[in-house]
């Protein structure tokens, strides 16, 4: 009998942890039902005592920037935690943590993911904070509309950085071959044919960077989503969107653009070996070229993006993040104080630019001394002047949908097929439109017919 | 072709056939060896290059090797956070693997050697645990740990790692075959307590199985990516796999990280290789012992 009791102990000991696992489901239900209650928030008042904020982001080197704040503000200390980028897991973690009621006070959220968090009720509305409301005029207009999500009286984050688009091009190759630098998309298509004759490709059409394509649609004054009250309208196949798709389809059909998968070695190599001559991309692309195509140093220049109408001045945007206060934070006042400092003060913006090449979203930030210098890789051209112009010309009011991950995935599937010759980009958008509506319906998000 | 025909031909041309089959086997094995070693070779070569050379030079051959300076950069980057991650991984996988092995060994031994009510049921429950993928448990575990406020701590990764249902299964089967009841009876007659018998007699007899369980669990914990991803926010607690992944997602922003990710990946496989090489002796005898019984 004695050894049997001990046996039971041994066995129980080993299976204890296992039992803990299997009861996890109950745990999650309990947490889910509990998470509704703790959403106090709403007020934007100082805590009246020393506060420690947690801030999750994936900006490399941000610790140094936060240290500056912590030294100056002993009463509001910020603990920064860095992890993988948003789609790499941090967004999913935010959702899990919001559900469990232990989300960080502040989180980095890209503009295209904000509506998702808004729809899931994961964000605090910052419009209760006077400082935040007053800060609107400091930001480039369109970046502010990216965080208000088209709502009159709500603010869901502080714009952090932006990605205005312009055209990187190989000025040496264009010069040698006597090709004019295109200023409209029509000229761009003509140049594409000339470049092809010279043995190159004018650019690479990326099937996977759907947000680059969205930037093109954005520039063409197109919309993919709009909201009226709680209802969403999905218009991936709106006229401007289809026009952009047809334009690129034309280039694809005539084999005037390369179709390497973006961000791969082949893609870098295509730029490095002078096979591909231009890239209409965001401001942060300056670094991608410099690192991916080191052999071409000194041969690149930057010009405004080609226009749909002659003499036009519209720009698109690709990328950019906000600093949001996540649901359940008890220190909205302090959190917004820090977020405003981080994203508007010259010292923070300069430090962020130096640490991670972030391009500011404030009007004053576009004129930072560090952004006035010539860049060696671009033959000492002060390239950021071009982007500062573009930043002011980005079409306002482009709206992201609440299920962008799904939109990107579905559109990317269609785009890949189009790049290999089966189907067209326009078909991909039409199919994507229907799949997006299905996805919204599946999540019980109201869709306007 | 009938079996007889094969046999006749086999005896008639035995030596030649065996030479042929040996050659075939060698060729197949060589192909697989190259297939498996090529990525490691690539990783090694890439780790010796500068960030620019990684993309522009021949991927399978050296260009200005600078492994030492790359290693220096890796260990110096952000005050040596990489070494911290490596240490964390060794702690999670090493300590977690040891505890998991001990627990699994005790459990499997008890299930094999003691008769008690509900034994088979308990064993079935444990077997069921083998079928549930760890990924599926990560989110429930996160919510559970949130309740007791243990997320973002060492325990959040360590505690779930010390459970190995597969280990329980393996040790039970092994204990049933390799620990004779007579021996236990003799130990009892000599006045040894159950725990003492377990630790001094049975544990040693079971050691090949335990090494196998340890290796499995070590590798599983080392490669477990989803759990730390969900549980941890503080960089100081990251295991090396998760830390490297974080760097890798930032390549578009900070392209210089590419070199660090590659060198970091190379260094991070060294502990795995060392563990395997030093324990494979035991492992082989462990797998073989089960096979002939």
């Amino acid at each position: 009998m004695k050894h049997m009791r001990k046996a039971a102990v041994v066995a129980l000991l080993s299976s204890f942890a296992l039992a803990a696992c299997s009861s996890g489901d109950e745990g999650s239900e309990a947490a889910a039902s509990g998470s509704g209650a703790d959403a106090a928030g709403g007020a934007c008042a100082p805590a009246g005592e020393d506060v420690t904020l947690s801030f999750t982001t994936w900006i490399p080197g941000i610790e140094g920037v936060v240290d500056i704040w912590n030294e100056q503000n002993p009463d509001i200390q910020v603990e920064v935690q860095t992890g993988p980028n948003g789609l790499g897991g941090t967004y999913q973690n935010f959702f899990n943590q919001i559900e469990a009621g232990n989300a960080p006070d502040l989180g980095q959220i890209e503009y295209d993911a904000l509506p998702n968090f808004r729809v899931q009720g994961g964000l605090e509305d910052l419009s209760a904070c006077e400082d935040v409301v007053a800060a609107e005029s400091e930001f480039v207009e369109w970046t502010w509309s990216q965080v208000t999500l088209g709502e009159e009286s709500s603010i869901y984050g502080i714009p952090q950085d932006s990605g205005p688009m312009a055209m990187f091009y190989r000025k040496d190759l264009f010069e040698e071959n006597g090709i004019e630098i295109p200023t409209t998309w029509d000229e761009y298509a003509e140049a594409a044919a000339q470049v092809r004759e010279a043995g190159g490709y004018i650019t690479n059409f990326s099937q996977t960077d759907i947000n680059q394509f969205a930037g093109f649609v954005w520039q063409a004054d197109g919309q993919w989503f709009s909201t009226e009250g709680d209802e969403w309208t999905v218009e991936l196949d709106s006229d401007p969107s289809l026009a952009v798709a047809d334009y690129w389809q034309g280039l694809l059909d005539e084999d005037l653009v390369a179709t390497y998968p973006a961000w791969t070695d082949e893609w870098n190599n295509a730029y490095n070996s002078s096979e591909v001559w231009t890239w209409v991309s965001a401001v942060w692309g300056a670094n991608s070229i410099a690192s991916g195509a080191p052999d071409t140093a000194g041969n690149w220049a930057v010009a405004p993006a080609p226009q749909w109408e002659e003499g036009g001045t519209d720009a698109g945007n690709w990328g950019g993040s906000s600093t949001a206060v996540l649901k359940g934070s008890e220190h909205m006042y302090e959190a917004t104080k820090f977020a405003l400092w981080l994203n508007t003060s010259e010292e923070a913006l300069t430090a962020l630019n130096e640490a991670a090449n972030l391009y500011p979203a404030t009007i004053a930030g576009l004129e930072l001394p560090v952004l006035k210098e010539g860049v060696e890789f671009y033959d000492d051209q002060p390239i950021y002047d071009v982007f500062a112009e573009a930043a002011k010309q980005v079409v306002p009011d482009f709206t992201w949908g609440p299920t962008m991950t799904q939109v990107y995935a579905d559109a990317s599937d269609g785009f890949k097929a189009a790049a290999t010759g089966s189907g067209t980009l326009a078909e991909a958008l039409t199919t994507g439109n229907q799949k997006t509506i299905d996805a919204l319906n599946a999540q019980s998000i109201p869709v306007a017919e | 072709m009938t079996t007889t025909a094969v046999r006749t031909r086999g005896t008639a041309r035995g030596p030649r056939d065996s030479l042929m089959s040996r050659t075939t086997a060698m060729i197949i094995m060589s192909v697989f060896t190259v297939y498996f070693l090529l990525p490691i070779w690539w990783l090694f070569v890439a780790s010796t290059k500068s960030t620019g050379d990684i993309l522009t030079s021949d991927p399978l051959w050296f260009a200005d090797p600078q492994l030492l300076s790359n290693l220096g950069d890796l260990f110096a980057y952000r005050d040596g956070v990489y070494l911290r991650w490596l240490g964390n991984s060794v702690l999670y996988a090493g300590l977690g693997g040891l505890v998991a092995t001990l627990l699994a060994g005790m459990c499997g031994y008890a299930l094999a050697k003691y008769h008690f009510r509900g034994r088979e049921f308990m064993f079935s429950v444990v077997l069921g645990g083998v079928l549930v993928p760890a990924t599926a448990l990560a989110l429930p575990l996160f919510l559970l740990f949130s309740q007791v406020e243990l997320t973002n701590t060492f325990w959040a990764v360590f505690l779930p790692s010390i459970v190995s249902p597969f280990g329980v299964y393996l040790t039970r089967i092994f204990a049933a075959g390799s620990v004779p009841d007579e021996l236990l009876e003799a130990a009892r007659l000599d006045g040894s307590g159950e725990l003492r018998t377990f630790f001094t007699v049975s544990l040693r007899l079971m050691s090949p199985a335990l090494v196998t369980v340890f290796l499995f669990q070590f590798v599983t914990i080392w490669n477990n990516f989803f759990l730390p991803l969900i549980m941890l926010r503080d960089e100081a607690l990251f295991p090396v796999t998760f830390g490297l992944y974080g760097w890798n997602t930032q390549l578009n922003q900070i392209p210089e990280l590419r070199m660090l990710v590659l060198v970091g990946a190379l260094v991070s496989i060294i502990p795995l290789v060392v563990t395997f090489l030093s324990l494979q002796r035991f492992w082989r005898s462990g797998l073989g012992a089960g096979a002939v019984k």
Side-chain angles (χ1 to χ4, degrees):
Chain A
M1 270 330 263
K2 199 174 151 204
H3 69 258
M4 270 178 55
R5 210 178 65 230
K6 276 177 184 157
V9 171
V10 174
L12 270 177
L13 210 64
S14 314
S15 55
F16 162 73
L18 191 75
C21 299
S22 54
S23 67
D25 273 345
E26 291 161 39
S28 81
E29 274 161 31
S33 61
S35 66
D38 60 327
C44 189
E49 53 180 2
D50 288 0
V51 166
T52 303
L53 300 169
S54 51
F55 174 31
T56 298
T57 173
W58 57 89
I59 299 167
I62 193 157
E63 293 85 356
V65 187
V66 173
D67 284 346
I68 304 175
W69 165 270
N70 282 343
E71 256 170 50
Q72 297 168 358
N73 297 275
D75 51 336
I76 307 176
Q77 291 290 297
V78 176
E79 275 178 10
V80 67
Q81 293 150 337
T82 54
N85 64 16
L87 292 178
T90 297
Y91 291 154
Q92 191 52 52
N93 282 351
F94 283 163
F95 283 122
N96 294 345
Q97 290 154 2
I98 289 166
E99 171 141 345
N102 60 2
D105 295 289
L106 290 151
Q108 177 181 3
I109 299 179
E110 285 154 301
Y111 296 134
D112 57 0
L114 269 179
N116 191 5
F117 280 88
R118 162 79 187 90
V119 165
Q120 311 273 353
L123 304 171
E124 294 285 356
D125 183 353
L126 309 181
S127 59
C129 300
E130 284 170 24
D131 291 351
V132 177
V133 177
E136 175 175 356
S137 57
E138 289 186 51
F139 288 91
V140 181
E141 190 191 341
W142 67 269
T143 63
W144 195 256
S145 69
Q146 290 286 300
V147 296
T148 57
L149 306 180
E151 292 178 31
E152 291 264 313
S153 57
S154 299
I155 302 162
Y156 293 105
I158 312 290
Q160 177 157 68
D161 68 319
S162 62
M165 293 167 81
M167 181 175 70
F168 298 91
Y169 67 97
R170 285 289 298 273
K171 62 173 182 177
D172 58 328
L173 294 176
F174 272 87
E175 214 162 281
E176 276 165 29
N177 291 280
I179 304 173
E180 293 268 319
I181 311 301
T183 57
T184 66
W185 285 109
D186 283 342
E187 288 174 20
Y188 192 78
E190 282 166 31
Q194 291 170 297
V195 171
R196 194 74 194 98
E197 263 168 46
Y201 283 106
I202 194 160
T203 193
N204 184 71
F205 182 78
S206 165
Q207 317 105 326
T208 45
D209 285 320
I210 306 303
N211 23 18
Q212 179 191 25
F213 187 84
F216 294 147
V217 175
W218 191 334
Q219 186 206 13
D221 202 10
Q223 283 286 359
W224 275 1
F225 291 89
S226 57
T227 49
E228 182 120 10
D230 275 344
E231 288 206 330
W232 289 84
T233 307
V234 185
E235 41 192 351
L236 262 60
D237 54 358
S238 63
D239 289 343
S241 183
L242 289 180
V244 175
D246 288 341
Y247 175 83
W248 285 98
Q249 186 64 47
L251 295 181
L252 281 172
D253 287 344
E254 291 172 51
D255 186 35
L256 297 179
V257 289
T259 53
Y260 297 106
W263 313 107
T264 59
D265 289 357
E266 301 143 275
W267 180 78
N268 279 314
N269 190 45
Y271 281 96
N272 197 40
S273 64
S274 305
E275 186 186 352
V276 176
W277 293 16
T278 76
W279 189 28
V280 180
S281 177
V283 55
W284 43 262
N287 258 44
S288 312
I289 301 182
S291 71
D295 295 352
T296 59
N299 296 331
W300 288 88
V302 180
Q307 296 293 318
W308 288 105
E309 278 168 34
E310 203 151 330
T313 55
D314 287 342
N317 176 73
W318 179 6
S321 312
S322 67
T323 311
V325 179
L326 298 182
K327 198 82 193 171
S329 168
E330 286 164 11
H331 302 295
M332 192 151 78
Y333 176 82
E334 289 78 8
T336 52
K337 256 184 117 73
F338 167 73
L340 283 172
W341 172 84
L342 182 70
N343 297 322
T344 61
S345 76
E346 182 170 332
E347 59 180 335
L349 290 177
T350 307
L352 283 173
N353 182 268
E354 279 166 0
N357 308 310
L358 289 198
Y359 191 73
T362 60
I363 297 164
L366 301 179
E367 312 296 328
L368 285 182
V370 280
L371 297 176
K372 288 283 164 196
E373 295 158 10
V375 182
E376 202 185 340
F377 186 84
Y378 297 89
D379 198 18
D380 290 325
Q381 183 192 356
I383 59 168
Y384 294 106
D385 288 352
V386 181
F387 290 104
E389 271 311 297
K392 295 171 200 156
Q393 293 162 349
V394 171
V395 181
D397 298 333
F398 187 85
T399 309
W400 298 104
T403 58
M404 288 316 294
T405 316
Q406 161 268 322
V407 174
Y408 292 149
D410 283 334
S412 178
D413 285 349
F415 277 25
K416 276 179 203 153
T420 53
S422 57
T424 65
L425 298 176
E427 282 169 24
L429 289 174
T430 317
T431 319
N433 199 65
Q434 190 52 47
K435 286 191 176 170
T436 306
I437 292 174
D438 294 345
L440 292 181
N441 282 331
Q443 294 188 29
S444 309
I445 300 168
V447 182
E449 288 306 322
Chain B
M1 197 179 291
T2 66
T3 13
T4 340
V6 174
R7 201 169 290 147
T8 329
R9 271 181 61 194
T11 20
R13 293 154 54 178
R16 241 182 96 190
D17 258 6
S18 97
L19 184 70
M20 246 185 72
S21 65
R22 270 212 323 257
T23 324
T24 321
M26 279 308 284
I27 289 173
I28 292 175
M29 282 201 296
S30 312
V31 168
F32 274 100
T33 310
V34 171
Y35 180 78
F36 286 123
L37 287 184
L38 203 62
I40 296 177
W41 172 248
W42 176 86
L43 179 64
F44 178 69
V45 170
S47 302
T48 65
K49 292 177 181 172
S50 65
T51 306
D53 282 342
I54 291 171
L55 296 173
T56 54
S57 61
D58 182 352
L60 291 179
W61 198 246
F62 301 95
D64 303 326
Q66 46 163 6
L67 183 59
L68 286 182
S69 94
N70 284 356
L71 283 173
D73 288 350
L74 174 71
F75 296 145
Y77 187 70
R78 300 250 302 274
D79 304 327
V81 70
Y82 179 82
L83 285 176
R84 170 106 207 199
W85 292 343
L86 203 61
N88 287 342
S89 269
V90 169
L91 199 62
Y92 290 133
L95 198 61
L98 277 178
V99 176
T101 308
L102 182 68
L103 288 181
M106 288 171 121
C107 187
Y109 173 76
L111 286 169
K113 289 295 158 196
Y114 300 105
H115 301 273
F116 53 91
R117 190 188 288 267
R119 178 173 80 152
E120 289 311 314
F121 174 73
M122 204 172 265
F123 187 58
S124 310
V125 171
V126 174
L127 271 190
V130 180
L131 300 177
V132 183
T135 335
L137 290 174
L139 185 56
L141 277 176
F142 171 77
L143 295 169
L144 201 67
F145 275 71
S146 293
Q147 300 256 308
V148 288
E149 297 186 355
L150 273 182
T151 56
N152 198 26
T153 61
F154 167 79
W155 302 106
V157 174
F158 183 77
L159 285 181
S161 300
I162 60 176
V163 189
S164 170
F166 176 73
V168 174
Y169 165 76
L170 200 73
T171 48
R172 180 194 174 166
I173 302 295
F174 195 88
S178 69
V179 184
D181 286 337
E182 298 81 357
L183 203 60
L184 298 182
E185 213 49 54
R188 274 178 206 132
L189 283 177
D190 287 344
S192 161
E194 292 301 324
L195 274 178
R196 189 168 159 210
T197 316
F198 174 73
F199 281 109
T200 52
V201 180
S202 316
L203 213 50
R204 281 173 207 190
L205 289 170
M206 287 163 64
S207 64
L210 294 178
V211 170
T212 310
V213 172
F214 175 77
L215 273 177
F216 267 120
Q217 195 64 7
F218 185 86
V219 175
T220 310
I221 302 174
W222 190 278
N223 290 335
N224 190 355
F225 166 77
F226 205 58
L227 189 69
L229 170 73
I230 284 190
M231 289 287 188
L232 302 178
R233 277 195 250 158
D234 186 354
E235 205 173 49
L237 292 170
F238 287 2
V240 69
T241 43
F242 183 42
L244 287 176
Y245 170 78
W247 282 355
N248 199 38
T249 65
Q250 290 162 356
L251 283 188
N252 289 358
Q253 239 169 333
I254 309 283
E256 300 83 58
L257 281 174
R258 189 183 297 271
M259 184 271 285
L260 297 183
V261 171
L262 288 168
V263 186
L266 181 71
V267 176
S268 79
I269 60 173
I270 293 174
L272 285 179
V273 173
V274 169
T275 316
F276 260 79
L277 289 184
S278 55
L279 290 177
Q280 71 169 354
R281 211 155 42 94
F282 302 99
W283 199 9
R284 226 170 12 207
S285 67
L287 289 180
V292 289
K293 287 212 163 91

